[in-house]
């Protein structure tokens, strides 16, 4: 007489969390392996920050006067943040390519948590962002950029940059799942470039017309850039400050903006992934 079949007990909340984490790390390894195999794309993503930093440091660094400091020290934190913001294009493209090739559908057919797929993609992009930021920091040091308020505050500034990149990943994932194909990346560029240029990355909001400066100061990217200048000890930060609430609480906003973006777009990305093929 055979024993009656006893179905396995449903996983506990902790068990589901462990499965999601394990699947997420598996997909992270896949995404990183794919990026490493795509040597041309990896080289471009690493060389672009180097070219930009060298161009800004030598082409413009000695040509623009900044009250209380030098343009080179002023521009480097802005270029750090622009690299983090422009990274949303690579996130969008990777997600859109996976969706167009049916890879996302294959993942959906596997017994894994929907959040594991987007978490895996996000972890891989964060690893690439960390590498890009390290390369840019080395280039900045090579052309004379220095931090003036200690290593701990400098690391906090770099952490804020990575926090911004972490938040923007979920925008890239969500829009990549909405897109009809990777060729739609042009739409992302139309959105990303105004965000990057209408900020304090290249010019202080205090030097802009009043209404434009107000918009620039409340830009999430500006909050991170201004906070980094403060934490890095940029000598020009006080001379160029507008004295507004946003400028005086930049570190707070540099944390609050990414958390708010993540709270909105991470659930949207997971929900959109679940809805694929319906």
């Amino acid at each position: 007489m055979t024993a009656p079949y006893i179905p396995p007990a449903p996983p506990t909340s902790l068990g589901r969390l462990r499965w999601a984490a394990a699947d997420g790390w598996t997909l992270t390894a896949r995404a990183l392996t794919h990026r490493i195999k795509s040597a041309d794309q990896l080289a471009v993503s690493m060389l672009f920050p180097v070219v930009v930093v060298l161009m800004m440091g030598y082409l413009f660094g000695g040509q623009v006067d900044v009250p209380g400091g030098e343009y080179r020290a002023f521009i480097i934190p802005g270029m750090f943040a622009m690299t983090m913001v422009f990274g949303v294009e690579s996130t969008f493209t990777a997600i859109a390519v996976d969706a167009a090739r049916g890879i996302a559908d294959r993942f959906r057919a596997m017994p894994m948590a929907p959040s594991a797929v987007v978490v895996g993609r996000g972890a891989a992009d964060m690893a690439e962002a960390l590498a890009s930021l390290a390369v840019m920091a080395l280039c900045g040091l090579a052309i004379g950029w220095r931090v003036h308020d200690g290593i701990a505050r400098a690391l906090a500034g770099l952490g804020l940059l990575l926090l911004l990149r972490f938040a923007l990943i979920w925008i890239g994932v969500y829009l990549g799942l909405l897109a009809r194909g990777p060729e739609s990346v042009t739409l992302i560029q139309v959105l990303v470039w105004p965000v990057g240029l209408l900020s304090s990355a290249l010019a202080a909001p205090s030097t802009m017309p009043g209404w434009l400066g107000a918009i620039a100061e409340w830009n999430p990217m500006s909050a991170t850039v201004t906070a980094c200048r403060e934490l890095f000890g940029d000598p020009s930060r006080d001379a160029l400050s507008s004295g507004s609430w946003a400028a005086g609480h930049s570190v707070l906003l540099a944390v609050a903006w990414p958390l708010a973006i993540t709270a909105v777009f991470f659930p949207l990305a997971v929900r959109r992934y679940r809805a694929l093929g319906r």
Side-chain angles (χ1 to χ4, degrees):
M1 182 177 180
T2 59
Y5 171 73
I6 302 177
T12 62
S13 298
L14 180 60
R16 287 194 294 269
L17 180 60
R18 288 174 177 171
W19 288 356
D23 293 335
W25 282 115
T26 300
L27 294 174
T28 300
R30 172 199 171 273
L32 286 173
T33 302
H34 176 72
R35 291 291 288 174
I36 292 173
K37 288 181 178 179
S38 303
D40 55 340
Q41 298 179 7
L42 187 62
V44 170
S45 64
M46 291 299 179
L47 285 177
F48 176 73
V50 176
V51 172
V52 170
V53 170
L54 293 178
M55 180 183 69
M56 287 299 178
Y58 287 108
L59 185 59
F60 300 115
Q63 307 300 322
V64 180
D65 293 329
V66 175
E70 61 175 14
Y71 191 64
R72 187 175 302 170
F74 176 83
I75 199 68
I76 291 297
M79 297 314 302
F80 286 176
M82 290 188 77
T83 301
M84 298 296 100
V85 171
F86 290 162
V88 73
E89 297 178 16
S90 64
T91 302
F92 173 90
T93 302
I95 291 294
V97 167
D98 282 354
R101 294 178 177 176
I103 297 175
D105 291 333
R106 286 181 235 168
F107 286 148
R108 288 177 61 250
M110 297 178 181
M112 64 173 61
S115 58
V117 178
V118 294
V119 168
R121 178 72 254 172
D125 285 356
M126 284 301 297
E128 183 179 343
L130 181 60
S132 297
L133 190 57
V135 171
M136 290 197 69
L138 291 175
C139 290
L141 292 172
I143 65 174
W145 168 73
R146 296 292 184 270
V147 296
H148 302 283
D149 286 352
I151 297 299
R153 287 174 63 86
L155 291 176
L158 296 177
L160 291 178
L161 290 164
L162 292 174
L163 181 62
L164 177 66
R165 178 71 179 101
F166 177 80
L168 295 177
I169 282 173
W170 312 122
I171 296 180
V173 171
Y174 176 64
L175 295 180
L177 293 172
L178 285 177
R180 296 182 178 180
E183 63 277 0
S184 301
V185 71
T186 304
L187 299 176
I188 295 298
Q189 294 170 346
V190 171
L191 295 174
V192 167
W193 278 96
V195 171
L197 297 178
L198 188 56
S199 71
S200 63
L202 304 180
S206 60
T207 64
M208 303 177 185
W211 65 272
L212 190 63
I215 294 175
E217 282 192 325
W218 285 95
N219 184 333
M221 179 176 166
S222 293
T224 299
V225 173
T226 305
C228 285
R229 289 185 179 128
E230 178 181 342
L231 293 171
F232 294 160
D234 178 13
S236 66
R237 66 185 186 276
D238 294 330
L240 293 174
S241 176
S242 65
S244 66
W245 190 93
H249 298 80
S250 58
V251 176
L252 174 63
L253 288 177
V255 175
W257 270 121
L259 292 181
I261 293 171
T262 301
V264 172
F265 281 94
F266 179 75
L268 286 176
V270 174
R271 187 178 304 173
R272 178 60 188 170
Y273 176 77
R274 287 174 174 167
L276 286 178
R278 292 183 183 174

